[in-house]
Structure formats: C-alpha cells, structure tokens
Amino acid sequence: MELFFLIKPGEILLKKDNQQEFIRRLRQQIHLRMAGIKHDIESYPGRFFITVDEKDREHTVFALSHCPGLNGFSAAFKCEKTVDSVLAAVVHVATKAAMLGKKTFKVETRRSDKSFPLGSYELSALAGETVLAAVPSLKVDVHNPDFTVNIEIRERAYVYGFPEQGPRGLPTGSSGKGLLLLSGGIDSPVAGYMMAKRGLLLECVYFHAYPYTSDEARKKVERLAVRLTAWTGSLRLWVLPFTDTQLAIKKGAEEGASTLMLRTAMMEAADKIAYRIKAKAIVTGESLGQVASQTAENLAITQSPTRLPVLRPLIGIDKEATVKTAQEIGTYDISILPYEDCCVLFSPKHPLLKPAREKCIEEYKKLELSKLIDESIANASVQRFSYKDVVAEYGLP
Ligand code: ATP
Ligand code: MG
C-alpha cells in the first residue's frame, strides 16, 4: 500500500531570491536519506510531498525527522478538492485517533485555493460536526485538544492528524562546506549537529595517536560519524595518524604548553585539509573555559594557523545542556563509552592558562611541525558514510 507524507519546510520559505536553490538542496537531502528505497518527491510552493511504500514507513519517518530544513511532516490523505472527499478523510483521521484513545479534537483549515466552495471557518465547522456525528466518543476542545485534524485546500486537498517534528534549520549544504574536528567526546558531535542544522555540509577529521589511543577509540569515532550522518545524509571522515606530531610536541615543547601546541597543530592540519576540500569554515566543540586550552587567550593561539572562521557553536553552552542535546541526537551513549583520549595521555599537569600570545605562536613555529602534518594528511584514511551505514547502526528495517 502507498503511504503519503505532507512535509513542511521551515526557514527556506523565508528566502526570497534563492529559494529555488534551497528547495533543490532539500530535495537532494531527502533523496540521500531514501537511497535504495522506492520514493517519489513532489514540491509545490510551501509544501513537499513524498510517496513511499507502507512497508518503508519507519525508515521514512526516521529520515524526515533527521532532515534539517524541515519543520515538520505528517502522514496525510490526499483527496479530490470536493467537500465530500475531504469529509471522508477527516472521519478516517478522527476514527484512528479515537482508536488510539484520544478524547478531544479541533479542526484547522488552511485554504489557499479561494475557489473552493466553503471558506476555512465553514469547512472546519462542517468537518467538526461530521466527526461528532461519526465518532461519538470524541468531543470538541478548541483550546487544548488531544489532537487536531488539519485540512489544507491547495493544488489538491490534504487531511492529516498526527504531525511529527522536523529538526528545523536549513538544508545541509546550503551554507557550504565545513570541517569538523571530531573527537570521541560529548561536545564535538553536538557542535557538528548544530552546524549541520545551519546548512553546513560536514567533513570530519579525527586525530589518531595509535598506539597511545587504541583502535577501539577510532571505532568509537567512526560510530559517532555514522550517528552524525543520520543528520547530514552523508559524511566523510578523515583519520589522521598523529602520533609522530604528538611525540614531536612532547619532545620539543615546554611541558605546560604541550596541549596548547597540540591544539594548534590540529588546527594547522585542519586548515590544510579545509583548503583541499574547499571547506569554508572549521568547526570545533570548544566551550569557553571548559578546560585550560579553551580560555579566550588560548583560543587565540590555537586558531592562529588558520584564517578560516573557526565556528564554535558550544562556546556559550553549559555542559549540562550539551549533554542533553547529545542524548536527543543519539550521540551521547557512544560518546561516553570508555576509551582513552590522546590529549589526556599527553596533557601537562599544570597547563598554561594565560600564556603570552605572540611568544606561544613563536614557540609553535619553532617546533617546525609542517612536514609531519603534511605526512599525516598524505597518510590519512578517508571513509565515506551514507544512509546505508545509518540503517545498519540504528538497526532500521
Ligand atoms: P569533546 O569536546 O568532543 O567532548 P573532549 O572534551 O575530549 O571532546 P576537548 O579536550 O574539549 O575534547 O577538545 C576540544 C575540541 O577539540 C573538541 O571538541 C574537538 O572539536 C577537538 N578535538 C580534540 N581532540 C580531538 C581529536 N583527537 N581529533 C579531532 N578533534 C579533536
Ligand atoms: Mg570538550
């Protein structure tokens, strides 16, 4: 059996000149998530529609609820633009709601086709009366109903009752590409999610210090990348062998500055990759004051190798709120798996909190890490994740 969804795009409707480009992106993003699944997308001003097979309901609901740029969606009846067919669909929706234990309802009508014989208010009133007669267990409550029957009279008529939330934001890719520094922690996946929702197409880089960090640590980052892919549709992960760079820092840098130097080296590597992949921004999970390397003074030093904007969406967010988001987006339970972090192994007992900026940048230059960094990029492994991986990770049908 066919299943039909009405989709409400969000912020892209506010775009004037380049709305078509946003619509094209959004379609492409839905296609990416539905790869390998029979589906048909239609778009009309202000609404998208997707038709799938009933058996693919769960996949489709997952895909749409993880698609930035969508405010919401709902399985819907599409009907002829006649009062009778609309009322029949309304009774269907109401009967189903009553079967699910709902007691009160209201009807809301949006009519953009003004040639329809009834006005919005009249149609809502007639639909309400029809429901009361057909489903006696239901009562009207216009202020706080258990459910709302929605009617839209547009190019066709649509009736739906159970809207689901989309992530809102902008379609992935509509803001260009960004490179996320993805560690195995809680923060960076959340930072990636937040920027993907603002339209950044993400590639990720993970700095791996084998054998100081284990293969399990790397696997954990790969799983985080897959869980992020649920929100981005596709994603590339660069794993950079960073052991030599870390050892060079350990050997050459003043003890208290080693974390700072490592962060700076990560930024230099990120800047070089960003150039190669044409990323327009670097994204990190840094939050002001969270640890010594995230004071304002230290951020100025660690970002010194790049001229790209370093986007830090968590800069003003408390850890508690970040944890909550991580739980909501499905990355938390992976992030808290107990695998060591390379930076902890190399971190100084007494890190510098307010180092002199110019002096530190000079010290960093003296380490002459560029060659090692170039080598690590040349030896990087690059993996591409798609919705196939998401389906396997989440055990979707
Ligand atoms: P997270 O911040 O993801 O929870 P964390 O708290 O262990 O991990 P921090 O020490 O706070 O990491 O590092 C700050 C940021 O630096 C991270 O959010 C991430 O963007 C980046 N980063 C740290 N370590 C790595 C790494 N090994 N590979 C890639 N990026 C890293
Ligand atoms: Mg952190």
Side-chain angles (χ1 to χ4, degrees), residues 258-274:
S258 58
T259 305
L260 209 53
M261 296 294 141
L262 174 59
R263 293 301 156 145
T264 314
M266 287 181 178
M267 203 55 92
E268 182 179 339
D271 180 72
K272 286 176 163 160
I273 298 174

Side-chain angles (χ1 to χ4, degrees), residues 41-186:
I41 302 175
E42 296 168 86
S43 47
Y44 291 99
R47 291 285 180 268
F48 281 59
F49 302 95
I50 183 166
T51 308
V52 296
D53 231 68
E54 171 63 44
K55 70 174 171 42
D56 296 319
R57 178 190 285 264
E58 196 181 329
H59 181 105
T60 311
V61 169
F62 183 95
L64 296 178
S65 59
H66 287 75
C67 188
L70 301 186
N71 275 14
F73 60 95
S74 179
F77 286 96
K78 87 182 143 177
C79 5
E80 280 173 43
K81 269 195 278 192
T82 64
V83 175
D84 283 349
S85 62
V86 168
L87 292 180
V90 167
V91 170
H92 266 294
V93 169
T95 307
K96 185 167 169 216
M99 271 163 35
L100 292 171
K102 310 283 185 205
K103 300 272 183 257
T104 58
F105 76 102
K106 72 172 173 183
V107 181
E108 262 180 19
T109 303
R110 272 207 196 98
R111 189 186 63 139
S112 54
D113 176 359
K114 303 296 177 201
S115 68
F116 193 75
L118 296 181
S120 311
Y121 180 78
E122 291 164 293
L123 183 55
S124 292
L126 179 60
E129 282 166 26
T130 310
V131 169
L132 289 174
V135 194
S137 66
L138 291 174
K139 301 212 159 16
V140 172
D141 181 346
V142 288
H143 300 297
N144 193 16
D146 292 342
F147 75 103
T148 300
V149 183
N150 296 279
I151 303 172
E152 297 194 9
I153 310 289
R154 306 164 44 94
E155 55 288 330
R156 291 179 296 235
Y158 306 97
V159 178
Y160 56 98
F162 309 99
E164 310 244 10
Q165 290 270 330
R168 316 182 89 84
L170 293 171
T172 303
S174 56
S175 304
K177 196 187 272 183
L179 180 64
L180 169 68
L181 274 65
L182 181 64
S183 70
I186 295 168

Side-chain angles (χ1 to χ4, degrees), residues 100-377:
L100 292 171
K102 310 283 185 205
K103 300 272 183 257
T104 58
F105 76 102
K106 72 172 173 183
V107 181
E108 262 180 19
T109 303
R110 272 207 196 98
R111 189 186 63 139
S112 54
D113 176 359
K114 303 296 177 201
S115 68
F116 193 75
L118 296 181
S120 311
Y121 180 78
E122 291 164 293
L123 183 55
S124 292
L126 179 60
E129 282 166 26
T130 310
V131 169
L132 289 174
V135 194
S137 66
L138 291 174
K139 301 212 159 16
V140 172
D141 181 346
V142 288
H143 300 297
N144 193 16
D146 292 342
F147 75 103
T148 300
V149 183
N150 296 279
I151 303 172
E152 297 194 9
I153 310 289
R154 306 164 44 94
E155 55 288 330
R156 291 179 296 235
Y158 306 97
V159 178
Y160 56 98
F162 309 99
E164 310 244 10
Q165 290 270 330
R168 316 182 89 84
L170 293 171
T172 303
S174 56
S175 304
K177 196 187 272 183
L179 180 64
L180 169 68
L181 274 65
L182 181 64
S183 70
I186 295 168
D187 302 331
S188 46
V190 173
Y193 158 79
M194 286 173 76
M195 296 323 300
K197 254 181 59 168
R198 293 311 304 160
L200 269 194
L201 178 69
L202 294 182
E203 295 208 15
C204 303
V205 56
Y206 166 60
F207 300 97
H208 190 39
Y210 186 82
Y212 301 97
T213 42
S214 61
D215 270 333
E216 277 76 19
R218 175 188 174 156
K219 290 257 158 55
K220 182 179 158 181
V221 173
E222 287 171 3
R223 279 189 78 190
L224 283 173
V226 173
R227 295 209 165 190
L228 265 183
T229 307
W231 299 99
T232 60
S234 70
L235 189 135
R236 281 212 305 177
L237 172 66
W238 296 62
V239 177
L240 257 60
F242 227 50
T243 315
D244 292 347
T245 308
Q246 296 218 160
L247 291 174
I249 292 170
K250 178 118 184 115
K251 193 158 153 246
E254 189 190 317
E255 219 246 341
S258 58
T259 305
L260 209 53
M261 296 294 141
L262 174 59
R263 293 301 156 145
T264 314
M266 287 181 178
M267 203 55 92
E268 182 179 339
D271 180 72
K272 286 176 163 160
I273 298 174
Y275 180 78
R276 279 202 18 195
I277 64 174
K278 300 193 170 67
K280 302 287 180 276
I282 292 171
V283 182
T284 78
E286 289 162 318
S287 174
L288 194 66
Q290 190 187 72
V291 288
S293 60
Q294 296 171 34
T295 60
E297 287 85 352
N298 282 338
L299 293 177
I301 294 163
T302 55
Q303 76 182 19
S304 63
T306 187
R307 293 173 111 163
L308 292 174
V310 179
L311 305 178
R312 303 179 177 94
L314 304 183
I315 199 71
I317 310 277
D318 293 344
K319 191 76 180 189
E320 221 173 80
T322 302
V323 164
K324 190 163 168 275
T325 308
Q327 287 166 335
E328 284 162 7
I329 67 172
T331 53
Y332 182 73
D333 54 330
I334 312 272
S335 290
I336 59 170
L337 292 174
Y339 295 115
E340 70 292 342
D341 171 5
C342 61
C343 314
V344 173
L345 297 179
F346 285 84
S347 55
K349 285 196 197 71
H350 302 291
L352 304 177
L353 293 176
K354 295 187 177 179
R357 182 168 178 268
E358 296 313 321
K359 184 171 160 274
C360 269
I361 293 176
E362 274 317 304
E363 288 300 315
Y364 177 76
K365 285 185 184 148
K366 278 193 211 147
L367 293 172
E368 295 187 342
L369 299 172
S370 294
K371 203 164 144 262
L372 285 176
I373 287 174
D374 289 342
E375 270 167 30
S376 76
I377 294 174

